[in-house]
Amino acid sequence: MIFNERLRELRKERELSQEQAARATSLTLRNYQRLEADGNTPNFANLVRIADFFDVSMDYLAGRTDVREIGR
C-alpha cells in the first residue's frame, strides 16, 4: 500500500523514530506502528494531523498524486 510506504519515507527523511512521529501527530505508538507496518488506514482526523505535520497533501499520502506540496 502506498500510504504506509510514504509515511515511513517521510518519517525517515526527518530522521525521526516511530515514537517521535507518533507523539508529534498525537497518535499512540502502537497505532502509528500499525499505520507504517500493516498499511492500516487512518481516520480522517489522524490523516489531517499526519499531513499537517509532514507538510504534505492528503492526496500525496493516499497515493492520488506524486506531488507533495500543498496547493496554497
Side-chain angles (χ1 to χ4, degrees):
M1 179 177 196
I2 290 176
F3 174 79
N4 64 329
E5 295 166 2
R6 290 191 171 177
L7 181 60
R8 186 178 309 112
E9 178 182 302
L10 290 166
R11 177 181 59 80
K12 288 184 175 189
E13 285 176 5
R14 291 199 179 188
E15 299 180 359
L16 298 172
S17 67
Q18 287 183 331
E19 184 175 356
Q20 290 169 317
R23 222 173 322 156
T25 55
S26 301
L27 298 170
T28 65
L29 176 58
R30 185 64 191 135
N31 191 12
Y32 185 89
Q33 290 170 329
R34 285 185 181 134
L35 291 174
E36 275 196 16
D38 303 335
N40 283 354
T41 306
N43 65 35
F44 184 76
N46 289 341
L47 183 61
V48 170
R49 279 197 290 269
I50 291 167
D52 285 349
F53 175 72
F54 287 110
D55 199 29
V56 296
S57 71
M58 292 189 295
D59 282 344
Y60 175 77
L61 287 173
R64 294 180 48 154
T65 182
D66 290 331
V67 178
R68 289 183 178 199
E69 293 81 29
I70 301 169
R72 295 178 191 204

